[in-house]
């Protein structure tokens, strides 16, 4: 069953005003809304059944019935954990509470990331990776750490890859890129000024761009050719940042493994005794 509520939250800002009215009502009255027919929901939100159907289709469902079934199952599974989901780490937490909270938040982050993966987009990204002469990685702060991780993975497959720690070097890298290269840009917010400048330079260089970022309207998302989305997990100062890093690494794992599988499927069988590219050092 597809996760409906994370998709609804992440897509809300790109909806029309009438669709946002429906989304806000559903997010704020989950249990009550699931007992309403499409006509009753339209009356409650001062919209129309056609608006509700469009909203459901926008987030990947056939219609309201399909969407309502997904939300009903999701709420039933998670309602006992909703209070814990909103709790931040406090100084008074015991070690057992810290373990429980961080583990739960990371699990939720992974589940929400899975619900945002579009298989068609992922396939397009894999094809771009196969065709690219060189993979150029961009990111700052924690996103740079994730970029370094991806760089090490590509080295295992002998895929030419470049990552620079210095932002000025990244900018030069973007300006010198070509349409034969592939840029992968990691930015949780999608609004970091230095990263946006690099993406603009990449557009001028005509290099294809894959962004790993939040599913919100941002300069990085709008300028990129393809987006692999991470959930909005930074509502809290510390645990949210950790969950963001986990979701970025999860997307990297998915992208790299899909690419590695495609390369191995197309190439000759590995030599006897060779270490798998998917293995850990």
């Amino acid at each position: 069953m597809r996760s409906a509520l994370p998709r609804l939250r992440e897509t809300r800002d790109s909806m029309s005003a009438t669709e946002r009215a429906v989304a806000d009502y559903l997010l704020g009255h989950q249990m009550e809304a699931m007992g309403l027919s499409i006509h009753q929901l339209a009356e409650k939100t001062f919209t129309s059944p056609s608006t509700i159907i469009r909203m459901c289709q926008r987030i990947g469902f056939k219609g309201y019935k399909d969407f309502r079934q997904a939300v009903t199952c999701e709420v039933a599974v998670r309602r006992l954990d909703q209070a814990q989901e909103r709790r931040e780490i406090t100084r008074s937490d015991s070690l057992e509470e810290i373990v429980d909270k961080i583990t739960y938040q990371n699990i939720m982050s992974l589940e929400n990331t899975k619900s945002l993966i579009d298989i068609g987009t992922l396939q397009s990204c894999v094809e771009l990776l196969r065709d690219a002469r060189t993979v150029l990685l961009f990111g700052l702060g924690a996103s740079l750490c994730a970029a370094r991780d991806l760089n090490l993975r590509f080295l295992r497959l002998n895929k030419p890859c470049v990552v620079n720690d210095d932002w000025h070097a990244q900018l030069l890298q973007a300006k010198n890129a070509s349409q034969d290269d592939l840029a992968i840009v990691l930015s949780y917010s999608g609004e970091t000024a230095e990263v946006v400048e690099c993406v603009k330079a990449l557009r001028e260089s005509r290099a294809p761009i894959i962004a790993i970022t939040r599913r919100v309207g941002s300069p990085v998302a709008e300028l990129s050719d393809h987006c692999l989305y991470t959930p909005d997990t930074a509502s809290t100062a510390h645990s949210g940042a950790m969950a963001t890093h986990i979701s970025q690494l999860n997307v990297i794992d998915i992208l790299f493994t899909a690419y590695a599988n495609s390369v191995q499927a197309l190439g000759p069988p590995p030599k006897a005794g060779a270490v798998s590219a998917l293995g850990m050092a």
Side-chain angles (χ1 to χ4, degrees):
M1 186 67 66
R2 292 164 291 174
S3 295
L5 295 177
R7 292 189 182 195
L8 194 62
R9 281 191 290 266
E10 299 290 342
T11 313
R12 178 196 174 278
D13 290 343
S14 64
M15 294 179 178
S16 66
T18 52
E19 290 171 348
R20 279 201 302 273
V22 178
D24 289 342
Y25 186 85
L26 289 170
L27 291 171
H29 307 81
Q30 296 169 15
M31 292 302 295
E32 177 187 347
M34 291 307 96
L36 301 176
S37 68
I38 189 171
H39 294 284
Q40 290 171 326
L41 179 59
E43 183 178 350
K44 287 274 189 181
T45 56
F46 303 99
T47 59
S48 65
S50 60
T51 297
I52 296 171
I53 293 173
R54 283 198 306 272
M55 185 211 69
C56 295
Q57 292 174 342
R58 181 187 290 274
I59 60 175
F61 293 89
K62 295 179 181 178
Y64 179 63
K65 182 178 180 181
D66 187 27
F67 170 79
R68 185 170 66 173
Q69 182 181 11
V71 173
T72 300
C73 292
E74 187 176 332
V75 170
V77 170
R78 297 182 179 180
R79 60 184 176 180
L80 295 178
D81 296 323
Q82 286 178 342
Q84 182 179 359
E85 182 181 359
R86 293 191 294 268
R87 291 168 61 192
E88 172 62 286
I89 300 295
T90 65
R91 292 183 180 275
S92 61
D93 284 341
S94 66
L95 291 179
E96 289 81 4
E97 288 173 324
I98 291 174
V99 170
D100 288 343
K101 288 182 179 182
I102 294 299
T103 301
Y104 176 80
Q105 288 163 358
N106 287 342
I107 289 172
M108 290 298 298
S109 177
L110 293 174
E111 287 185 356
N112 291 341
T113 302
K114 177 184 175 182
S115 73
L116 294 173
I117 293 291
D118 180 87
I119 299 302
T121 300
L122 179 62
Q123 180 61 44
S124 297
C125 293
V126 170
E127 291 171 2
L128 285 173
L129 277 168
R130 283 207 306 258
D131 296 339
R133 178 185 62 186
T134 305
V135 179
L136 308 176
L137 301 176
F138 299 84
L140 296 176
S143 293
L144 178 58
C145 296
R148 291 199 200 103
D149 182 270
L150 184 53
N151 177 59
L152 289 174
R153 292 168 188 265
F154 281 131
L155 286 176
R156 297 182 69 86
L157 292 177
N158 198 29
K159 181 70 174 180
C161 188
V162 179
V163 58
N164 285 292
D165 290 357
D166 180 72
W167 169 69
H168 295 92
Q170 290 189 26
L171 183 58
L172 289 174
Q173 175 178 294
K175 291 183 175 181
N176 291 327
S178 75
Q179 58 188 3
D180 296 324
D181 300 318
L182 172 65
I184 299 181
V185 180
L186 295 96
S187 174
Y188 169 73
S189 69
E191 299 175 348
T192 305
E194 294 85 351
V195 176
V196 173
E197 189 167 348
C198 286
V199 175
K200 289 179 179 178
L202 287 165
R203 295 296 295 181
E204 293 179 0
S205 301
R206 300 180 63 186
I209 306 167
I210 297 173
I212 299 177
T213 186
R214 286 188 305 166
R215 188 167 184 167
V216 296
S218 70
V220 167
E222 292 169 0
L223 290 168
S224 298
D225 298 294
H226 299 287
C227 291
L228 297 173
Y229 293 112
T230 57
D232 189 347
T233 55
S235 58
T236 55
H238 302 294
S239 56
M242 288 184 283
T244 296
H245 188 60
I246 290 292
S247 64
Q248 280 187 333
L249 293 178
N250 189 43
V251 172
I252 284 173
D253 281 343
I254 292 169
L255 178 61
F256 173 79
T257 304
Y259 168 69
N261 273 2
S262 73
V263 171
Q264 292 175 355
L266 292 174
K271 296 179 182 179
V275 177
S276 169
L278 300 180
M280 298 301 292

